[in-house]
C-alpha cells in the first residue's frame, strides 16, 4: 500500500504542475509591472555592520519573527567578513532589526512573491542599483540551519576555489558524475566572484528572470535554470559537496565507521531500509560485508538526496555544515537520525537554540 505521505506529496506536485499552465502565460506581463515599481516596492533599512568587499544575500521567510538561528547565521557570515544583505519576504519587526543589526549591513523587506529566487533577484538588483560591485557574493536562504558545526569549512572552500561559480552541493542525476558543468547546484547556497557578477550571462539571466510563486516554475527557471544557464555558457564551476565526493569519503572509512553510517541513514524506500537493517544485524567481518555495505550506501544516495539520506556521514566526514529544514518525509527522518547522533556525541552539538528549533520541526523527535 502506498504511504499517505507519498500520496500527499504526489497530489501537491500535480496541483503545482496544473497551476503552472496559466502562470506561464500571465507571468511575463506581471513581471514587467513589478519591475516598473522597483526599487520603490522594497523597504530598505540600514543595519550596523559596515559594507565590505564580500556581500551575503540572505533570503529569509520568517513572518512570525526572526529566529535565534537566523541571528547566528548573520553573526557567522559577518565573522567571515561578509556584509549581510538580509532580504525578508515579509515585514521585519523593529525589535528583530535591533537584535540582528550588529551583524547585518542592510535589511530589505519585500512582498512574499517568487520564493527564494524572487528574493535573490531583488537583492542582486538592489546591489546593482546602488552601484556596488562586490569582490565576492554569497547567496543563501533560510531553508537550512547554518552552521551546525563549530568549524565551517564550506564558505572558506568556496572562496578559495579557482572557479567563479560554486555551490554547496552539486546535484547530478543517478548515473551521472561530478564534473565541472554537470548537474545543478541546489538553490540554498551559492557563491560567485566579481568576474561572474560583472559578466553578461549573469546580468542577462537576472534581468530576464520571470518570478513566480509556483514551485514547478521556480525550480525550472530558478534552481535548474540558473545553474544550467551559467554552466551552459562555460562558466567555471565547482560543487564543494556532491554524491561522488561523499562516496569517496565513505570508501576509505573502516568497517566500524561504515556501520555507524548505516545506523544513522534515513530511508523512505522500504526495501533499502530492510537491506540496511540486515547489514546492521551482521557482524562487520562477515565475508563480503564491506562490499555490500558500500553497495547499500551507493544505492541509497542514488535513490534520494545524499545529504539527507546520509546526514551523519555528510556532516562528520564530508564537512557539510548545515541541516535542511524541509518538512518532507525524508528530511523529517533525517533530523530524527541527526538528533540521535548529537545525543550520542557522534555529531557536534549545534547549540541549544538551534537544537530546540530542530526538535520543534521534527515530529516524533
Amino acid at each position: 500500500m502506498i504511504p499517505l505521505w507519498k500520496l500527499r506529496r504526489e497530489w501537491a506536485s500535480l496541483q503545482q504542475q496544473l497551476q503552472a499552465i496559466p502562470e506561464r502565460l500571465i507571468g511575463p506581463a506581471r513581471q514587467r509591472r513589478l519591475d516598473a515599481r522597483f526599487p520603490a516596492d522594497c523597504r530598505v533599512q540600514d543595519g550596523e555592520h559596515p559594507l565590505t568587499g564580500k556581500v551575503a544575500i540572505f533570503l529569509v521567510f520568517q513572518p512570525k519573527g526572526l529566529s535565534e538561528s537566523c541571528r547566528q547565521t548573520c553573526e557567522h557570515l559577518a565573522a567571515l567578513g561578509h556584509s549581510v544583505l538580509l532580504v525578508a519576504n515579509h515585514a521585519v519587526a523593529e525589535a528583530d532589526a535591533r537584535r540582528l543589526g550588529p551583524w547585518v549591513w542592510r535589511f530589505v523587506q519585500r512582498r512574499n512573491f517568487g520564493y527564494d529566487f524572487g528574493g535573490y533577484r531583488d537583492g542582486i538588483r538592489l546591489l546593482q542599483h546602488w552601484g556596488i560591485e562586490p569582490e565576492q557574493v554569497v547567496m543563501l536562504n533560510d531553508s537550512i540551519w547554518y552552521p551546525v558545526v563549530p568549524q565551517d569549512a564550506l564558505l572558506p572552500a568556496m572562496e578559495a576555489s579557482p572557479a567563479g561559480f560554486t555551490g554547496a552541493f552539486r546535484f547530478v542525476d543517478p548515473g551521472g558524475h561530478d564534473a565541472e558543468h554537470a548537474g545543478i547546484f541546489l538553490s540554498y547556497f551559492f557563491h560567485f566572484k566579481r568576474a561572474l557578477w560583472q559578466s553578461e550571462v549573469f546580468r542577462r539571466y537576472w534581468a530576464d528572470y520571470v518570478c513566480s510563486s509556483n514551485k514547478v516554475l521556480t525550480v525550472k527557471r530558478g534552481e535548474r535554470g540558473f545553474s544550467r544557464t551559467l554552466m551552459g555558457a562555460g562558466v567555471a564551476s565547482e560543487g564543494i559537496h556532491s554524491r561522488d565526493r561523499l562516496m569517496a569519503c565513505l570508501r576509505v572509512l573502516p568497517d566500524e565507521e561504515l556501520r555507524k553510517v548505516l545506523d544513522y541513514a534515513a530511508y523512505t524506500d522500504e526495501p533499502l531500509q530492510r537491506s540496511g537493517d540486515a547489514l546492521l544485524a551482521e557482524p562487520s567481518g562477515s565475508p563480503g560485508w564491506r562490499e555490500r555495505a558500500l553497495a547499500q550506501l551507493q544505492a541509497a544516495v542514488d535513490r534520494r538526496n545524499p545529504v539527507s539520506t546520509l546526514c551523519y556521514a555528510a556532516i562528520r566526514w564530508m564537512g557539510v555544515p548545515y541541516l535542511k529544514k524541509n518538512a518532507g518525509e525524508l528530511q523529517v527522518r533525517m533530523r530524527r537520525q541527526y538528533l540521535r547522533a548529537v545525543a550520542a556525541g557522534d555529531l557536534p552539538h549545534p547549540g541549544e537554540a538551534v537544537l530546540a528549533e530542530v526538535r520543534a520541526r521534527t515530529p516524533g523527535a
Side-chain angles (χ1 to χ4, degrees), residues 100-118:
L100 274 67
W103 303 282
V104 173
W105 168 54
R106 282 180 180 167
F107 297 89
V108 176
Q109 302 175 39
R110 65 183 297 275
R111 61 180 296 196
N112 182 25
F113 178 70
Y115 288 108
D116 52 354
F117 268 77

Side-chain angles (χ1 to χ4, degrees), residues 143-163:
S143 69
I144 55 175
W145 286 283
Y146 166 75
V148 296
V149 295
Q151 298 296 324
D152 170 24
L154 172 62
L155 190 46
M158 289 176 145
E159 294 178 348
S161 173

Side-chain angles (χ1 to χ4, degrees), residues 191-217:
H191 179 274
F192 31 89
K193 297 175 181 172
R194 179 178 285 174
L196 178 59
W197 174 268
Q198 295 177 333
S199 69
E200 178 63 22
V201 64
F202 180 90
R203 296 190 175 231
R204 179 50 50 195
Y205 170 84
W206 290 107
D208 293 345
Y209 182 79
V210 177
C211 299
S212 174
S213 285
N214 179 273
K215 288 185 179 180
V216 170
L217 293 180

Side-chain angles (χ1 to χ4, degrees), residues 71-81 103 146-147 149-150 152 155:
R71 187 203 63 78
Q72 290 180 14
T73 298
C74 293
E75 182 178 15
H76 177 70
L77 291 166
L80 292 178
W103 303 282
Y146 166 75
V149 295
D152 170 24
L155 190 46

Side-chain angles (χ1 to χ4, degrees), residues 305 308 324 326-336:
N305 182 290
S308 296
K324 287 291 289 179
N326 301 46
E329 184 66 21
L330 177 62
Q331 284 72 34
V332 170
R333 297 184 185 192
M334 168 202 73
R335 291 195 295 273
R336 290 174 188 153

Side-chain angles (χ1 to χ4, degrees), residues 131-260:
I132 294 169
E133 299 286 335
E135 296 173 11
Q136 302 191 43
V137 177
V138 172
M139 200 161 68
L140 72 161
N141 64 46
D142 67 340
S143 69
I144 55 175
W145 286 283
Y146 166 75
V148 296
V149 295
Q151 298 296 324
D152 170 24
L154 172 62
L155 190 46
M158 289 176 145
E159 294 178 348
S161 173
F165 178 41
T166 56
F169 191 85
R170 185 191 296 276
F171 177 82
V172 182
D173 289 334
H177 294 285
D178 192 355
E180 185 176 20
H181 296 132
I184 61 170
F185 294 153
L186 299 187
S187 65
Y188 50 79
F189 209 128
F190 301 105
H191 179 274
F192 31 89
K193 297 175 181 172
R194 179 178 285 174
L196 178 59
W197 174 268
Q198 295 177 333
S199 69
E200 178 63 22
V201 64
F202 180 90
R203 296 190 175 231
R204 179 50 50 195
Y205 170 84
W206 290 107
D208 293 345
Y209 182 79
V210 177
C211 299
S212 174
S213 285
N214 179 273
K215 288 185 179 180
V216 170
L217 293 180
T218 299
V219 170
K220 180 180 179 180
R221 297 169 179 169
E223 185 170 59
R224 295 183 179 275
F226 184 46
S227 292
R228 288 173 176 169
T229 296
L230 298 189
M231 293 179 192
V235 173
S237 72
E238 182 185 2
I240 305 303
H241 303 132
S242 67
R243 180 178 63 233
D244 286 356
R245 293 186 180 193
L246 177 57
M247 287 306 302
C249 293
L250 300 185
R251 290 188 188 100
V252 299
L253 295 180
D255 287 358
E256 288 309 309
E257 187 57 38
L258 280 180
R259 177 175 292 277
K260 194 174 289 187

